[in-house]
Amino acid sequence: MKNILLPTDFSKNSKNAIEYAMKFFENEECHFYILNIQKSSEYITADLVAGSQSDSVYDSISKNNKALIHNLVKALSKKTKSQAYTFHELFDYDDFVSAIKQAVELNAIDLIIMGNNGASDASEVIFGSNTLQVIRYVDCPTLTVPEHYSYSSIKEVLFSMQDEEKLTFKGIDIFKDILTMHKCQLNVLQLDDTSQTEASEKEDNQSIQKLFQDYPYTYFHLNTIPGLIVLNTTTQLLKIDLHAVSIEKETFLKRLFFGSDTSQLAYGTLIPLLFLHKDN
């Protein structure tokens, strides 16, 4: 049984990620935790006027959002009544990352699924600011779903990693469960963090072989981290349906998804991305 956290602000983007999750886990027994987070800086006068005189500011806001969560869960339950899904309604009045961390700890969350979209800040154009903050600071596997991306069967999966990195991940079990669940083909892409540009015929090492000993895979190796463009090209050529990456250092994350050339930002991520955190 999986415990899945689905943060939502009731936008089309977040609802699309929830719809993706419903199809992603079809025929699996899951607990879905639908979480809405409110913070005081988002309050507007209309919200405060809507409450009765006896209501606190918190009650005025939370009452409306809890009703929205309840209606969303009711609709999801009806739509997925043939599935072994259990839904839980969560509301928090807190900083976004702090609320996510608390939900993960209290509910033994195995995986977070969130939508991503363009942000006004160019440095975060690939992910919405909240999604990026979760990836950076919440120690839980996080699956990001591009805005407007529609679910398709998971047939080909790409796992990208740095050269010579320690192959221990806190989220590797959920990733292996995904491979088993969807009976998909695994492709491993090893990125060598050097200044070389020529292709390499380097073979996968024993660490990779041990990590995926129960999962047949095809191995690829590149001698640089050329940025998001080459990864999108790889995912298109291999017809990848899900891309898993390991993250440890902020510099690696920036090179992998932002790069030094701002033109790369326009490409965005084309498919769902699963972020796995390295063990300390």
Side-chain angles (χ1 to χ4, degrees):
M1 183 182 296
K2 304 291 188 302
N3 294 328
I4 313 299
L5 181 63
L6 303 173
T8 181
D9 58 1
F10 310 112
S11 65
K12 290 183 179 179
N13 187 34
S14 66
K15 288 181 179 180
N16 181 61
I18 291 175
E19 288 293 328
Y20 180 91
M22 297 301 102
K23 295 178 181 179
F24 189 89
F25 285 102
E26 277 187 350
N27 304 317
E28 297 292 321
E29 188 175 356
C30 293
H31 283 279
F32 289 106
Y33 293 82
I34 312 296
L35 170 64
N36 176 251
I37 303 163
Q38 189 72 37
K39 57 184 180 180
S40 58
S41 62
E42 294 174 346
Y43 291 170
I44 57 175
T45 304
D47 293 322
L48 304 182
V49 173
S52 69
Q53 291 183 352
S54 62
D55 286 338
S56 67
V57 173
Y58 171 81
D59 290 336
S60 299
I61 300 301
S62 64
K63 186 181 295 184
N64 179 59
N65 284 35
K66 287 178 180 179
L68 291 173
I69 297 172
H70 181 73
N71 291 336
L72 176 58
V73 165
K74 186 177 180 180
L76 290 172
S77 299
K78 182 178 181 180
K79 190 173 183 178
T80 62
K81 60 183 179 181
S82 63
Q83 299 295 322
Y85 293 165
T86 303
F87 294 95
H88 305 268
E89 303 173 18
L90 301 179
F91 174 80
D92 202 350
Y93 172 73
D94 202 350
D95 166 73
F96 192 87
V97 171
S98 297
I100 295 289
K101 286 183 177 180
Q102 184 178 54
V104 167
E105 294 173 1
L106 292 178
N107 302 290
I109 297 299
D110 299 299
L111 177 68
I112 302 169
I113 299 181
M114 300 181 66
N116 62 42
N117 60 354
S120 58
D121 182 349
S123 67
E124 296 182 349
V125 70
I126 296 177
F127 304 112
S129 58
N130 283 336
T131 303
L132 186 59
Q133 293 300 307
V134 169
I135 293 168
R136 285 172 173 166
Y137 301 118
V138 179
D139 193 10
C140 180
T142 302
L143 176 59
T144 64
V145 182
E147 191 174 18
H148 307 307
Y149 186 91
S150 298
Y151 177 84
S152 61
S153 299
I154 311 297
K155 298 177 180 178
E156 296 283 340
V157 173
L158 177 66
F159 179 79
S160 296
M161 51 178 287
Q162 272 187 293
D163 189 41
E164 305 299 334
E165 67 181 7
K166 183 181 178 183
L167 298 183
T168 54
F169 311 97
K170 294 180 180 179
I172 198 64
D173 288 340
I174 189 70
F175 179 59
K176 290 181 177 180
D177 286 346
I178 289 171
L179 295 177
T180 301
M181 184 193 320
H182 292 280
K183 299 180 176 59
C184 45
Q185 172 62 41
L186 173 62
N187 301 274
V188 176
L189 175 61
Q190 191 167 6
L191 301 169
D192 188 355
D193 190 11
T194 71
S195 60
Q196 301 176 28
T197 57
E198 66 271 13
S200 172
E201 297 181 356
K202 182 177 179 179
E203 297 180 356
D204 54 330
N205 57 40
Q206 293 184 352
S207 296
I208 300 175
Q209 295 171 11
K210 182 178 180 180
L211 184 66
F212 297 117
Q213 59 185 342
D214 298 323
Y215 304 89
Y217 62 88
T218 303
Y219 176 79
F220 302 91
H221 179 264
L222 290 177
N223 270 359
T224 59
I225 301 177
L228 188 61
I229 294 177
V230 72
L231 288 177
N232 276 342
T233 301
T234 301
T235 57
Q236 290 181 75
L237 288 174
L238 298 178
K239 297 181 179 179
I240 299 299
D241 303 298
L242 176 68
H243 184 186
V245 298
S246 62
I247 59 173
E248 179 179 22
K249 297 179 180 179
E250 177 67 13
T251 52
F252 172 59
L253 183 63
K254 283 186 176 180
R255 287 200 306 273
L256 184 58
F257 293 105
F258 304 135
S260 58
D261 186 351
T262 55
S263 65
Q264 294 181 15
L265 299 175
Y267 286 80
T269 179
L270 303 177
I271 61 175
L273 283 163
L274 173 62
F275 292 87
L276 306 177
H277 292 262
K278 297 290 298 298
D279 280 338
N280 294 326

